[in-house]
Amino acid sequence: MSPTREKSPPLDQSRLAHTLGYAIARAAVTTNQLFSQGVGEPLGVRPVEFTLLQLIFSNRNTTQKRLCDLLRVPAPQMTLILDRLQERGWVERERDANDRRALHLRLTAEGERLAEESLAALRVAEQALDRVLSSGERLLLQELLAKVAR
Amino acid sequence: MSPTREKSPPLDQSRLAHTLGYAIARAAVTTNQLFSQGVGEPLGVRPVEFTLLQLIFSNRNTTQKRLCDLLRVPAPQMTLILDRLQERGWVERERDANDRRALHLRLTAEGERLAEESLAALRVAEQALDRVLSSGERLLLQELLAKVAR
DNA sequence: TATTGTTATACTCTATAACTATA
DNA sequence: TATAGTTATAGAGTATAACAATA
């Protein structure tokens, strides 16, 4: 290392300190990493896939349309994501008998097993946050985030 | 609309309620939208570009390496982003005289003007959050997010 | 006419390996 | 031998228009 370069001080982020978007984006780096290490890589599930598994688990026979609206995912993307989940045998689609345009979604037995396993794995991974957040702080953080999400 | 379909109840998200990653991702949808409407579209600046403008503004002559480390952006991506900022006349790069591998970054006059304008625009856009968050809550939220970001 | 879902397409974002030039 | 930055490339994520089937 060049002798003319002393150890550099941390970068000044003061101009970004007041913007909530930046704070959220930086926190998301941490949680994305926890997800990736604890769930994504070991179980081969992407964040959207994980989310869909949980939602279909709790909302048997919901339709693609309703998931698109909730997650603000465009319909064409939802088609592709569900194609992938179906190919891997985790999700099944079935036409609504009354409205034959709509597709109802449900998990296979294997899909349910994966939904359980991945949620448990994520809970373990996010326990790493206990070192920086008390359980009260964590609850408060979730409430405040929910307000922002409307 | 089919008379056999009543207005459907909201989807059950209870299985995701305890995961912080989900709460952050959902809140990010809101802040991304505020950025896009208030800054991104009117000024033609992407989130990373905005962030870099602010950081280079406050950290004159910082290097690409240090920005990569702070933002966890891979070096090749940083090269492309800065190429774009340079092409548009907002950023200049200059070789370090002592260590000729390193590049120092600085804003042009136009780049500084844009950094100021875009930050002001974001502050205005994020005022929309005042309807759901008191100023105390907002401050608290930022502190908690900073802890998560470590 | 409007809605659900699909196909096609393009553009951005992200990650990695291989390279250069310097140290 | 290690570091700063670039080039090349491939994969994942996102957005839009045009379409088929049904309502």
PDB file of all heavy atoms in Angstrom, chain A residues 58-93:
ATOM      1  N   SER A  58     -51.776 -19.958   2.819  1.00  0.00           N
ATOM      2  CA  SER A  58     -52.813 -19.401   3.698  1.00  0.00           C
ATOM      3  C   SER A  58     -54.096 -19.050   2.953  1.00  0.00           C
ATOM      4  O   SER A  58     -55.123 -18.810   3.568  1.00  0.00           O
ATOM      5  CB  SER A  58     -52.309 -18.126   4.384  1.00  0.00           C
ATOM      6  OG  SER A  58     -51.149 -18.387   5.135  1.00  0.00           O
ATOM      7  N   ASN A  59     -54.012 -18.958   1.642  1.00  0.00           N
ATOM      8  CA  ASN A  59     -55.182 -18.534   0.860  1.00  0.00           C
ATOM      9  C   ASN A  59     -55.475 -19.553  -0.238  1.00  0.00           C
ATOM     10  O   ASN A  59     -55.262 -19.296  -1.428  1.00  0.00           O
ATOM     11  CB  ASN A  59     -54.937 -17.138   0.256  1.00  0.00           C
ATOM     12  CG  ASN A  59     -54.693 -16.080   1.310  1.00  0.00           C
ATOM     13  OD1 ASN A  59     -55.638 -15.522   1.858  1.00  0.00           O
ATOM     14  ND2 ASN A  59     -53.425 -15.811   1.613  1.00  0.00           N
ATOM     15  N   ARG A  60     -55.941 -20.677   0.197  1.00  0.00           N
ATOM     16  CA  ARG A  60     -56.230 -21.773  -0.721  1.00  0.00           C
ATOM     17  C   ARG A  60     -57.213 -21.309  -1.794  1.00  0.00           C
ATOM     18  O   ARG A  60     -58.205 -20.636  -1.499  1.00  0.00           O
ATOM     19  CB  ARG A  60     -56.841 -22.914   0.102  1.00  0.00           C
ATOM     20  CG  ARG A  60     -57.146 -24.183  -0.619  1.00  0.00           C
ATOM     21  CD  ARG A  60     -57.403 -25.289   0.395  1.00  0.00           C
ATOM     22  NE  ARG A  60     -56.135 -25.848   0.880  1.00  0.00           N
ATOM     23  CZ  ARG A  60     -55.575 -26.944   0.351  1.00  0.00           C
ATOM     24  NH1 ARG A  60     -56.166 -27.574  -0.639  1.00  0.00           N
ATOM     25  NH2 ARG A  60     -54.435 -27.393   0.819  1.00  0.00           N
ATOM     26  N   ASN A  61     -56.864 -21.628  -3.048  1.00  0.00           N
ATOM     27  CA  ASN A  61     -57.737 -21.327  -4.178  1.00  0.00           C
ATOM     28  C   ASN A  61     -57.841 -19.848  -4.523  1.00  0.00           C
ATOM     29  O   ASN A  61     -58.778 -19.433  -5.187  1.00  0.00           O
ATOM     30  CB  ASN A  61     -59.138 -21.895  -3.967  1.00  0.00           C
ATOM     31  CG  ASN A  61     -59.141 -23.391  -4.169  1.00  0.00           C
ATOM     32  OD1 ASN A  61     -58.288 -23.919  -4.871  1.00  0.00           O
ATOM     33  ND2 ASN A  61     -60.079 -24.077  -3.534  1.00  0.00           N
ATOM     34  N   THR A  62     -56.872 -19.046  -4.083  1.00  0.00           N
ATOM     35  CA  THR A  62     -56.870 -17.663  -4.556  1.00  0.00           C
ATOM     36  C   THR A  62     -56.483 -17.651  -6.038  1.00  0.00           C
ATOM     37  O   THR A  62     -56.034 -18.665  -6.578  1.00  0.00           O
ATOM     38  CB  THR A  62     -55.890 -16.795  -3.745  1.00  0.00           C
ATOM     39  OG1 THR A  62     -56.118 -15.433  -4.064  1.00  0.00           O
ATOM     40  CG2 THR A  62     -54.442 -17.149  -4.054  1.00  0.00           C
ATOM     41  N   THR A  63     -56.660 -16.523  -6.699  1.00  0.00           N
ATOM     42  CA  THR A  63     -56.366 -16.442  -8.133  1.00  0.00           C
ATOM     43  C   THR A  63     -55.097 -15.634  -8.382  1.00  0.00           C
ATOM     44  O   THR A  63     -54.629 -14.889  -7.530  1.00  0.00           O
ATOM     45  CB  THR A  63     -57.517 -15.757  -8.884  1.00  0.00           C
ATOM     46  OG1 THR A  63     -57.622 -14.410  -8.423  1.00  0.00           O
ATOM     47  CG2 THR A  63     -58.825 -16.480  -8.656  1.00  0.00           C
ATOM     48  N   GLN A  64     -54.562 -15.766  -9.597  1.00  0.00           N
ATOM     49  CA  GLN A  64     -53.358 -15.020  -9.960  1.00  0.00           C
ATOM     50  C   GLN A  64     -53.606 -13.520  -9.873  1.00  0.00           C
ATOM     51  O   GLN A  64     -52.755 -12.767  -9.406  1.00  0.00           O
ATOM     52  CB  GLN A  64     -52.921 -15.394 -11.384  1.00  0.00           C
ATOM     53  CG  GLN A  64     -52.555 -16.853 -11.506  1.00  0.00           C
ATOM     54  CD  GLN A  64     -51.894 -17.206 -12.836  1.00  0.00           C
ATOM     55  OE1 GLN A  64     -51.783 -18.365 -13.160  1.00  0.00           O
ATOM     56  NE2 GLN A  64     -51.461 -16.221 -13.593  1.00  0.00           N
ATOM     57  N   LYS A  65     -54.784 -13.119 -10.330  1.00  0.00           N
ATOM     58  CA  LYS A  65     -55.126 -11.701 -10.322  1.00  0.00           C
ATOM     59  C   LYS A  65     -54.974 -11.073  -8.937  1.00  0.00           C
ATOM     60  O   LYS A  65     -54.394  -9.994  -8.779  1.00  0.00           O
ATOM     61  CB  LYS A  65     -56.573 -11.524 -10.805  1.00  0.00           C
ATOM     62  CG  LYS A  65     -57.065 -10.088 -10.872  1.00  0.00           C
ATOM     63  CD  LYS A  65     -56.275  -9.299 -11.901  1.00  0.00           C
ATOM     64  CE  LYS A  65     -56.941  -7.977 -12.232  1.00  0.00           C
ATOM     65  NZ  LYS A  65     -57.141  -7.129 -11.064  1.00  0.00           N
ATOM     66  N   ARG A  66     -55.473 -11.777  -7.922  1.00  0.00           N
ATOM     67  CA  ARG A  66     -55.440 -11.208  -6.581  1.00  0.00           C
ATOM     68  C   ARG A  66     -54.017 -11.125  -6.060  1.00  0.00           C
ATOM     69  O   ARG A  66     -53.660 -10.184  -5.359  1.00  0.00           O
ATOM     70  CB  ARG A  66     -56.308 -12.055  -5.644  1.00  0.00           C
ATOM     71  CG  ARG A  66     -57.773 -12.094  -6.112  1.00  0.00           C
ATOM     72  CD  ARG A  66     -58.689 -12.532  -5.004  1.00  0.00           C
ATOM     73  NE  ARG A  66     -58.625 -11.614  -3.883  1.00  0.00           N
ATOM     74  CZ  ARG A  66     -58.903 -11.935  -2.628  1.00  0.00           C
ATOM     75  NH1 ARG A  66     -59.257 -13.172  -2.339  1.00  0.00           N
ATOM     76  NH2 ARG A  66     -58.821 -11.036  -1.681  1.00  0.00           N
ATOM     77  N   LEU A  67     -53.184 -12.080  -6.409  1.00  0.00           N
ATOM     78  CA  LEU A  67     -51.782 -12.033  -5.990  1.00  0.00           C
ATOM     79  C   LEU A  67     -51.049 -10.895  -6.698  1.00  0.00           C
ATOM     80  O   LEU A  67     -50.229 -10.199  -6.095  1.00  0.00           O
ATOM     81  CB  LEU A  67     -51.108 -13.373  -6.283  1.00  0.00           C
ATOM     82  CG  LEU A  67     -51.634 -14.546  -5.439  1.00  0.00           C
ATOM     83  CD1 LEU A  67     -51.078 -15.864  -5.963  1.00  0.00           C
ATOM     84  CD2 LEU A  67     -51.277 -14.359  -3.974  1.00  0.00           C
ATOM     85  N   CYS A  68     -51.360 -10.703  -7.967  1.00  0.00           N
ATOM     86  CA  CYS A  68     -50.760  -9.589  -8.707  1.00  0.00           C
ATOM     87  C   CYS A  68     -51.092  -8.268  -8.028  1.00  0.00           C
ATOM     88  O   CYS A  68     -50.222  -7.414  -7.839  1.00  0.00           O
ATOM     89  CB  CYS A  68     -51.296  -9.540 -10.137  1.00  0.00           C
ATOM     90  SG  CYS A  68     -50.673 -10.847 -11.192  1.00  0.00           S
ATOM     91  N   ASP A  69     -52.344  -8.090  -7.675  1.00  0.00           N
ATOM     92  CA  ASP A  69     -52.771  -6.824  -7.069  1.00  0.00           C
ATOM     93  C   ASP A  69     -52.082  -6.611  -5.728  1.00  0.00           C
ATOM     94  O   ASP A  69     -51.592  -5.516  -5.442  1.00  0.00           O
ATOM     95  CB  ASP A  69     -54.293  -6.816  -6.886  1.00  0.00           C
ATOM     96  CG  ASP A  69     -55.019  -6.766  -8.227  1.00  0.00           C
ATOM     97  OD1 ASP A  69     -54.365  -6.462  -9.239  1.00  0.00           O
ATOM     98  OD2 ASP A  69     -56.226  -7.054  -8.257  1.00  0.00           O
ATOM     99  N   LEU A  70     -52.028  -7.656  -4.915  1.00  0.00           N
ATOM    100  CA  LEU A  70     -51.427  -7.508  -3.584  1.00  0.00           C
ATOM    101  C   LEU A  70     -49.946  -7.166  -3.671  1.00  0.00           C
ATOM    102  O   LEU A  70     -49.456  -6.258  -3.001  1.00  0.00           O
ATOM    103  CB  LEU A  70     -51.606  -8.795  -2.775  1.00  0.00           C
ATOM    104  CG  LEU A  70     -50.935  -8.783  -1.392  1.00  0.00           C
ATOM    105  CD1 LEU A  70     -51.633  -7.802  -0.470  1.00  0.00           C
ATOM    106  CD2 LEU A  70     -50.919 -10.171  -0.772  1.00  0.00           C
ATOM    107  N   LEU A  71     -49.228  -7.896  -4.503  1.00  0.00           N
ATOM    108  CA  LEU A  71     -47.762  -7.759  -4.545  1.00  0.00           C
ATOM    109  C   LEU A  71     -47.300  -6.746  -5.578  1.00  0.00           C
ATOM    110  O   LEU A  71     -46.103  -6.504  -5.721  1.00  0.00           O
ATOM    111  CB  LEU A  71     -47.129  -9.124  -4.835  1.00  0.00           C
ATOM    112  CG  LEU A  71     -47.441 -10.228  -3.819  1.00  0.00           C
ATOM    113  CD1 LEU A  71     -46.807 -11.538  -4.253  1.00  0.00           C
ATOM    114  CD2 LEU A  71     -46.946  -9.834  -2.428  1.00  0.00           C
ATOM    115  N   ARG A  72     -48.235  -6.170  -6.315  1.00  0.00           N
ATOM    116  CA  ARG A  72     -47.909  -5.216  -7.386  1.00  0.00           C
ATOM    117  C   ARG A  72     -46.921  -5.835  -8.374  1.00  0.00           C
ATOM    118  O   ARG A  72     -45.951  -5.197  -8.798  1.00  0.00           O
ATOM    119  CB  ARG A  72     -47.351  -3.910  -6.812  1.00  0.00           C
ATOM    120  CG  ARG A  72     -48.395  -3.063  -6.081  1.00  0.00           C
ATOM    121  CD  ARG A  72     -47.969  -1.602  -6.082  1.00  0.00           C
ATOM    122  NE  ARG A  72     -48.838  -0.751  -5.261  1.00  0.00           N
ATOM    123  CZ  ARG A  72     -48.723  -0.614  -3.936  1.00  0.00           C
ATOM    124  NH1 ARG A  72     -47.815  -1.301  -3.287  1.00  0.00           N
ATOM    125  NH2 ARG A  72     -49.521   0.213  -3.288  1.00  0.00           N
ATOM    126  N   VAL A  73     -47.185  -7.076  -8.708  1.00  0.00           N
ATOM    127  CA  VAL A  73     -46.414  -7.772  -9.735  1.00  0.00           C
ATOM    128  C   VAL A  73     -47.260  -7.797 -11.003  1.00  0.00           C
ATOM    129  O   VAL A  73     -48.425  -8.191 -10.951  1.00  0.00           O
ATOM    130  CB  VAL A  73     -46.104  -9.226  -9.291  1.00  0.00           C
ATOM    131  CG1 VAL A  73     -45.530 -10.043 -10.443  1.00  0.00           C
ATOM    132  CG2 VAL A  73     -45.154  -9.225  -8.109  1.00  0.00           C
ATOM    133  N   PRO A  74     -46.714  -7.362 -12.146  1.00  0.00           N
ATOM    134  CA  PRO A  74     -47.474  -7.392 -13.399  1.00  0.00           C
ATOM    135  C   PRO A  74     -47.889  -8.824 -13.745  1.00  0.00           C
ATOM    136  O   PRO A  74     -47.155  -9.781 -13.484  1.00  0.00           O
ATOM    137  CB  PRO A  74     -46.494  -6.842 -14.440  1.00  0.00           C
ATOM    138  CG  PRO A  74     -45.444  -6.118 -13.670  1.00  0.00           C
ATOM    139  CD  PRO A  74     -45.378  -6.771 -12.317  1.00  0.00           C
ATOM    140  N   ALA A  75     -49.054  -8.955 -14.357  1.00  0.00           N
ATOM    141  CA  ALA A  75     -49.614 -10.269 -14.667  1.00  0.00           C
ATOM    142  C   ALA A  75     -48.668 -11.156 -15.482  1.00  0.00           C
ATOM    143  O   ALA A  75     -48.552 -12.353 -15.192  1.00  0.00           O
ATOM    144  CB  ALA A  75     -50.964 -10.119 -15.373  1.00  0.00           C
ATOM    145  N   PRO A  76     -47.984 -10.626 -16.501  1.00  0.00           N
ATOM    146  CA  PRO A  76     -47.098 -11.506 -17.281  1.00  0.00           C
ATOM    147  C   PRO A  76     -45.974 -12.095 -16.430  1.00  0.00           C
ATOM    148  O   PRO A  76     -45.580 -13.246 -16.628  1.00  0.00           O
ATOM    149  CB  PRO A  76     -46.517 -10.562 -18.344  1.00  0.00           C
ATOM    150  CG  PRO A  76     -47.505  -9.468 -18.461  1.00  0.00           C
ATOM    151  CD  PRO A  76     -48.069  -9.277 -17.082  1.00  0.00           C
ATOM    152  N   GLN A  77     -45.480 -11.322 -15.486  1.00  0.00           N
ATOM    153  CA  GLN A  77     -44.430 -11.838 -14.628  1.00  0.00           C
ATOM    154  C   GLN A  77     -44.982 -12.944 -13.723  1.00  0.00           C
ATOM    155  O   GLN A  77     -44.338 -13.968 -13.503  1.00  0.00           O
ATOM    156  CB  GLN A  77     -43.868 -10.690 -13.785  1.00  0.00           C
ATOM    157  CG  GLN A  77     -42.552 -11.020 -13.123  1.00  0.00           C
ATOM    158  CD  GLN A  77     -42.133  -9.950 -12.148  1.00  0.00           C
ATOM    159  OE1 GLN A  77     -42.615  -8.816 -12.219  1.00  0.00           O
ATOM    160  NE2 GLN A  77     -41.239 -10.288 -11.238  1.00  0.00           N
ATOM    161  N   MET A  78     -46.184 -12.726 -13.224  1.00  0.00           N
ATOM    162  CA  MET A  78     -46.804 -13.725 -12.356  1.00  0.00           C
ATOM    163  C   MET A  78     -46.962 -15.048 -13.100  1.00  0.00           C
ATOM    164  O   MET A  78     -46.713 -16.119 -12.538  1.00  0.00           O
ATOM    165  CB  MET A  78     -48.165 -13.207 -11.878  1.00  0.00           C
ATOM    166  CG  MET A  78     -48.866 -14.078 -10.862  1.00  0.00           C
ATOM    167  SD  MET A  78     -47.966 -14.287  -9.305  1.00  0.00           S
ATOM    168  CE  MET A  78     -48.201 -12.675  -8.552  1.00  0.00           C
ATOM    169  N   THR A  79     -47.356 -14.979 -14.352  1.00  0.00           N
ATOM    170  CA  THR A  79     -47.473 -16.197 -15.151  1.00  0.00           C
ATOM    171  C   THR A  79     -46.168 -16.977 -15.162  1.00  0.00           C
ATOM    172  O   THR A  79     -46.148 -18.185 -14.912  1.00  0.00           O
ATOM    173  CB  THR A  79     -47.855 -15.833 -16.606  1.00  0.00           C
ATOM    174  OG1 THR A  79     -49.163 -15.269 -16.605  1.00  0.00           O
ATOM    175  CG2 THR A  79     -47.844 -17.059 -17.494  1.00  0.00           C
ATOM    176  N   LEU A  80     -45.071 -16.258 -15.414  1.00  0.00           N
ATOM    177  CA  LEU A  80     -43.778 -16.934 -15.503  1.00  0.00           C
ATOM    178  C   LEU A  80     -43.336 -17.520 -14.165  1.00  0.00           C
ATOM    179  O   LEU A  80     -42.821 -18.633 -14.104  1.00  0.00           O
ATOM    180  CB  LEU A  80     -42.722 -15.952 -16.019  1.00  0.00           C
ATOM    181  CG  LEU A  80     -42.980 -15.420 -17.437  1.00  0.00           C
ATOM    182  CD1 LEU A  80     -41.936 -14.392 -17.822  1.00  0.00           C
ATOM    183  CD2 LEU A  80     -43.016 -16.573 -18.437  1.00  0.00           C
ATOM    184  N   ILE A  81     -43.547 -16.759 -13.089  1.00  0.00           N
ATOM    185  CA  ILE A  81     -43.153 -17.242 -11.771  1.00  0.00           C
ATOM    186  C   ILE A  81     -43.932 -18.508 -11.417  1.00  0.00           C
ATOM    187  O   ILE A  81     -43.375 -19.495 -10.927  1.00  0.00           O
ATOM    188  CB  ILE A  81     -43.396 -16.161 -10.697  1.00  0.00           C
ATOM    189  CG1 ILE A  81     -42.536 -14.922 -10.974  1.00  0.00           C
ATOM    190  CG2 ILE A  81     -43.092 -16.714  -9.312  1.00  0.00           C
ATOM    191  CD1 ILE A  81     -42.951 -13.710 -10.167  1.00  0.00           C
ATOM    192  N   LEU A  82     -45.224 -18.485 -11.677  1.00  0.00           N
ATOM    193  CA  LEU A  82     -46.054 -19.644 -11.345  1.00  0.00           C
ATOM    194  C   LEU A  82     -45.753 -20.834 -12.262  1.00  0.00           C
ATOM    195  O   LEU A  82     -45.836 -21.985 -11.834  1.00  0.00           O
ATOM    196  CB  LEU A  82     -47.533 -19.262 -11.394  1.00  0.00           C
ATOM    197  CG  LEU A  82     -47.955 -18.361 -10.229  1.00  0.00           C
ATOM    198  CD1 LEU A  82     -49.345 -17.791 -10.447  1.00  0.00           C
ATOM    199  CD2 LEU A  82     -47.897 -19.116  -8.904  1.00  0.00           C
ATOM    200  N   ASP A  83     -45.392 -20.549 -13.523  1.00  0.00           N
ATOM    201  CA  ASP A  83     -44.945 -21.631 -14.406  1.00  0.00           C
ATOM    202  C   ASP A  83     -43.796 -22.400 -13.743  1.00  0.00           C
ATOM    203  O   ASP A  83     -43.772 -23.624 -13.703  1.00  0.00           O
ATOM    204  CB  ASP A  83     -44.440 -21.064 -15.741  1.00  0.00           C
ATOM    205  CG  ASP A  83     -45.578 -20.659 -16.673  1.00  0.00           C
ATOM    206  OD1 ASP A  83     -46.748 -20.982 -16.351  1.00  0.00           O
ATOM    207  OD2 ASP A  83     -45.309 -20.018 -17.694  1.00  0.00           O
ATOM    208  N   ARG A  84     -42.856 -21.617 -13.216  1.00  0.00           N
ATOM    209  CA  ARG A  84     -41.682 -22.212 -12.580  1.00  0.00           C
ATOM    210  C   ARG A  84     -42.052 -23.026 -11.346  1.00  0.00           C
ATOM    211  O   ARG A  84     -41.557 -24.131 -11.136  1.00  0.00           O
ATOM    212  CB  ARG A  84     -40.718 -21.087 -12.175  1.00  0.00           C
ATOM    213  CG  ARG A  84     -39.280 -21.281 -12.625  1.00  0.00           C
ATOM    214  CD  ARG A  84     -38.437 -20.079 -12.256  1.00  0.00           C
ATOM    215  NE  ARG A  84     -37.782 -20.240 -10.978  1.00  0.00           N
ATOM    216  CZ  ARG A  84     -36.548 -20.737 -10.815  1.00  0.00           C
ATOM    217  NH1 ARG A  84     -35.853 -21.106 -11.863  1.00  0.00           N
ATOM    218  NH2 ARG A  84     -36.026 -20.861  -9.627  1.00  0.00           N
ATOM    219  N   LEU A  85     -42.946 -22.461 -10.520  1.00  0.00           N
ATOM    220  CA  LEU A  85     -43.365 -23.175  -9.311  1.00  0.00           C
ATOM    221  C   LEU A  85     -44.136 -24.449  -9.675  1.00  0.00           C
ATOM    222  O   LEU A  85     -44.034 -25.465  -8.978  1.00  0.00           O
ATOM    223  CB  LEU A  85     -44.231 -22.262  -8.435  1.00  0.00           C
ATOM    224  CG  LEU A  85     -43.497 -21.092  -7.773  1.00  0.00           C
ATOM    225  CD1 LEU A  85     -44.471 -20.200  -7.016  1.00  0.00           C
ATOM    226  CD2 LEU A  85     -42.414 -21.601  -6.817  1.00  0.00           C
ATOM    227  N   GLN A  86     -44.893 -24.369 -10.762  1.00  0.00           N
ATOM    228  CA  GLN A  86     -45.661 -25.548 -11.188  1.00  0.00           C
ATOM    229  C   GLN A  86     -44.738 -26.627 -11.755  1.00  0.00           C
ATOM    230  O   GLN A  86     -44.875 -27.804 -11.417  1.00  0.00           O
ATOM    231  CB  GLN A  86     -46.688 -25.119 -12.243  1.00  0.00           C
ATOM    232  CG  GLN A  86     -47.728 -26.183 -12.542  1.00  0.00           C
ATOM    233  CD  GLN A  86     -48.883 -25.647 -13.364  1.00  0.00           C
ATOM    234  OE1 GLN A  86     -48.773 -24.618 -14.029  1.00  0.00           O
ATOM    235  NE2 GLN A  86     -50.015 -26.343 -13.315  1.00  0.00           N
ATOM    236  N   GLU A  87     -43.781 -26.199 -12.586  1.00  0.00           N
ATOM    237  CA  GLU A  87     -42.825 -27.149 -13.161  1.00  0.00           C
ATOM    238  C   GLU A  87     -42.093 -27.941 -12.074  1.00  0.00           C
ATOM    239  O   GLU A  87     -41.786 -29.111 -12.248  1.00  0.00           O
ATOM    240  CB  GLU A  87     -41.759 -26.408 -13.990  1.00  0.00           C
ATOM    241  CG  GLU A  87     -42.177 -26.073 -15.409  1.00  0.00           C
ATOM    242  CD  GLU A  87     -41.266 -24.996 -16.016  1.00  0.00           C
ATOM    243  OE1 GLU A  87     -40.112 -24.882 -15.567  1.00  0.00           O
ATOM    244  OE2 GLU A  87     -41.743 -24.274 -16.913  1.00  0.00           O
ATOM    245  N   ARG A  88     -41.814 -27.255 -10.970  1.00  0.00           N
ATOM    246  CA  ARG A  88     -41.070 -27.943  -9.930  1.00  0.00           C
ATOM    247  C   ARG A  88     -41.987 -28.716  -8.983  1.00  0.00           C
ATOM    248  O   ARG A  88     -41.535 -29.223  -7.949  1.00  0.00           O
ATOM    249  CB  ARG A  88     -40.208 -26.933  -9.169  1.00  0.00           C
ATOM    250  CG  ARG A  88     -39.083 -26.430 -10.078  1.00  0.00           C
ATOM    251  CD  ARG A  88     -37.997 -25.749  -9.314  1.00  0.00           C
ATOM    252  NE  ARG A  88     -38.355 -24.368  -9.021  1.00  0.00           N
ATOM    253  CZ  ARG A  88     -37.633 -23.569  -8.264  1.00  0.00           C
ATOM    254  NH1 ARG A  88     -36.533 -24.019  -7.719  1.00  0.00           N
ATOM    255  NH2 ARG A  88     -38.008 -22.332  -8.046  1.00  0.00           N
ATOM    256  N   GLY A  89     -43.276 -28.718  -9.306  1.00  0.00           N
ATOM    257  CA  GLY A  89     -44.207 -29.567  -8.564  1.00  0.00           C
ATOM    258  C   GLY A  89     -44.644 -29.007  -7.230  1.00  0.00           C
ATOM    259  O   GLY A  89     -45.033 -29.757  -6.331  1.00  0.00           O
ATOM    260  N   TRP A  90     -44.593 -27.695  -7.077  1.00  0.00           N
ATOM    261  CA  TRP A  90     -44.959 -27.101  -5.800  1.00  0.00           C
ATOM    262  C   TRP A  90     -46.350 -26.474  -5.818  1.00  0.00           C
ATOM    263  O   TRP A  90     -46.976 -26.279  -4.784  1.00  0.00           O
ATOM    264  CB  TRP A  90     -43.930 -26.035  -5.387  1.00  0.00           C
ATOM    265  CG  TRP A  90     -42.568 -26.595  -5.149  1.00  0.00           C
ATOM    266  CD1 TRP A  90     -42.270 -27.881  -4.802  1.00  0.00           C
ATOM    267  CD2 TRP A  90     -41.324 -25.911  -5.248  1.00  0.00           C
ATOM    268  NE1 TRP A  90     -40.905 -28.028  -4.675  1.00  0.00           N
ATOM    269  CE2 TRP A  90     -40.293 -26.830  -4.929  1.00  0.00           C
ATOM    270  CE3 TRP A  90     -40.957 -24.599  -5.562  1.00  0.00           C
ATOM    271  CZ2 TRP A  90     -38.945 -26.498  -4.934  1.00  0.00           C
ATOM    272  CZ3 TRP A  90     -39.613 -24.258  -5.561  1.00  0.00           C
ATOM    273  CH2 TRP A  90     -38.624 -25.207  -5.250  1.00  0.00           C
ATOM    274  N   VAL A  91     -46.820 -26.125  -7.019  1.00  0.00           N
ATOM    275  CA  VAL A  91     -48.102 -25.423  -7.148  1.00  0.00           C
ATOM    276  C   VAL A  91     -48.918 -26.077  -8.254  1.00  0.00           C
ATOM    277  O   VAL A  91     -48.363 -26.562  -9.241  1.00  0.00           O
ATOM    278  CB  VAL A  91     -47.863 -23.932  -7.487  1.00  0.00           C
ATOM    279  CG1 VAL A  91     -49.125 -23.264  -8.018  1.00  0.00           C
ATOM    280  CG2 VAL A  91     -47.330 -23.178  -6.269  1.00  0.00           C
ATOM    281  N   GLU A  92     -50.239 -26.093  -8.074  1.00  0.00           N
ATOM    282  CA  GLU A  92     -51.135 -26.550  -9.130  1.00  0.00           C
ATOM    283  C   GLU A  92     -52.121 -25.446  -9.482  1.00  0.00           C
ATOM    284  O   GLU A  92     -52.509 -24.657  -8.616  1.00  0.00           O
ATOM    285  CB  GLU A  92     -51.901 -27.797  -8.670  1.00  0.00           C
ATOM    286  CG  GLU A  92     -51.020 -29.026  -8.537  1.00  0.00           C
ATOM    287  CD  GLU A  92     -51.760 -30.219  -7.947  1.00  0.00           C
ATOM    288  OE1 GLU A  92     -52.776 -30.005  -7.248  1.00  0.00           O
ATOM    289  OE2 GLU A  92     -51.316 -31.351  -8.163  1.00  0.00           O
ATOM    290  N   ARG A  93     -52.511 -25.402 -10.769  1.00  0.00           N
ATOM    291  CA  ARG A  93     -53.504 -24.423 -11.215  1.00  0.00           C
ATOM    292  C   ARG A  93     -54.747 -25.166 -11.691  1.00  0.00           C
ATOM    293  O   ARG A  93     -54.648 -26.187 -12.342  1.00  0.00           O
ATOM    294  CB  ARG A  93     -52.941 -23.573 -12.360  1.00  0.00           C
ATOM    295  CG  ARG A  93     -51.821 -22.660 -11.900  1.00  0.00           C
ATOM    296  CD  ARG A  93     -51.446 -21.673 -13.002  1.00  0.00           C
ATOM    297  NE  ARG A  93     -50.195 -22.049 -13.634  1.00  0.00           N
ATOM    298  CZ  ARG A  93     -49.359 -21.181 -14.214  1.00  0.00           C
ATOM    299  NH1 ARG A  93     -49.662 -19.889 -14.243  1.00  0.00           N
ATOM    300  NH2 ARG A  93     -48.249 -21.580 -14.779  1.00  0.00           N
TER     301      ARG A  93
END
